[in-house]
Amino acid sequence: MLKSITSCSSLAILRRSHVSSIYRSGVRLASLHSTPAIKREGLGDFALTDRVAIVTGGNRGLGLEAALALSTAGSRVVYCLDLPEKPGEDWNVARQNLAKLEGAGRLEYVTNDVRDQKKLLQTVEEIATKEGRMDICVAAAGIAGAARPCLEYTEEELEEVYAVNLKGVFFSAQAAARQMHRFQTPGSIILLGSIAGSIALKHTPVLPYNTSKAAVIQMARVMACELAQNNIRVNSLSPGYIETPMTTAIISARPEYQAIWSEQSVMNRLGKPHELRGIITWLASDASSFCTGSNIVVDGGYTAW
């Protein structure tokens, strides 16, 4: 009994001294970003109070879901970067709904092509200059490309996918990281990968997509190692099959994929876009302050077999 009490006392002392040493060494704690108002609302370290974020591919699909997650967690503003000159109906509806939600940040739309490195660097710099900071980047722009046997892919088809899914993701992360470093703000960069980057998708011949997502997962690890000294965290998020406009279009053309993709999940269904909001908020916030270089899988158990 005495040994147990002594152990508990020692543990308590260790915890107190550890916390004190963290404060003394100047390492950023989650509480440094918290505010009394947000604490009263119960968000705690998940709050994104006054953060400035960019989301590429933010016009629809998982990009728009990410933007909604960041906005509802209290971000000052989320800039959605995407290719169309004007945002679509889904984005406009989302913005209108956010405007009615107390405490949510504003949503802005900017036309941009993630394949154009110079233009993207300029755009993100302008955003950071206007807002005076850059805190979060979600690189969600991506395409599936053509589905065909690997022996039939052309160079043009490979380049099309890699330009968006590989170069575009890197250019997005690079542009945000430069501004985080410029303003000396602790940052979180989330690269949208896929379970296709870790496994081969059954009965789904999309080699360029698979290889591009594998590269994204490795990209996050390498960037995390390089940028940690700048207090910038980089992680990849690998969803399973989610009901997005991209997957819906594929199922419309090949209805059999609905059953193929669902049956591989232990939950026997595709995921809903909103089911990623929680993990995105966690990765973007101080609640995940010790998480970097990780690949987070959210796939309904698809890869658990």
Side-chain angles (χ1 to χ4, degrees), residues 55-64 80-82 114 138 140-142:
V55 178
T56 62
N59 183 45
R60 63 175 191 167
L62 297 184
L64 180 55
C80 298
L81 281 58
D82 217 324
V114 295
V138 180

Side-chain angles (χ1 to χ4, degrees), residues 54 71 83-84 90 133 136 145 156 176 221 227 261 266 279:
I54 63 166
S71 295
L83 198 54
D90 289 347
R133 61 189 299 146
I136 302 164
E156 291 75 20
R221 294 190 187 105
L227 297 176
W261 294 342
V266 298
I279 191 67

Side-chain angles (χ1 to χ4, degrees), residues 14 64 88 91 116 123 136 172 177 192 202 219 225 268-269 296:
L14 177 61
L64 180 55
W91 191 90
D116 188 337
T123 298
I136 302 164
S172 302
L192 199 67
K202 187 176 182 180
M219 184 189 301
C225 294
N268 198 35
R269 67 176 177 88
I296 311 298

Side-chain angles (χ1 to χ4, degrees), residues 105-160:
R106 72 182 195 273
L107 219 57
E108 301 287 349
Y109 184 82
V110 179
T111 301
N112 214 278
D113 186 344
V114 295
R115 296 170 297 184
D116 188 337
Q117 183 185 30
K118 292 182 179 179
K119 179 67 181 301
L120 189 58
L121 288 171
Q122 179 184 348
T123 298
V124 177
E125 181 178 0
E126 290 173 354
I127 290 172
T129 299
K130 176 183 177 182
E131 301 293 342
R133 61 189 299 146
M134 179 59 60
D135 303 277
I136 302 164
C137 169
V138 180
I143 60 174
R148 67 175 78 255
C150 63
L151 300 183
E152 298 178 8
Y153 275 110
T154 66
E155 180 180 1
E156 291 75 20
E157 288 171 330
L158 291 173
E159 288 294 340
E160 180 184 24

Side-chain angles (χ1 to χ4, degrees), residues 22-23 26-35 39 45 51 186 286:
I22 290 176
Y23 274 111
V27 175
R28 176 176 64 89
L29 292 181
S31 59
L32 295 182
H33 277 302
S34 301
T35 65
K39 284 183 177 179
D45 291 340
R51 310 291 173 88
D286 292 335

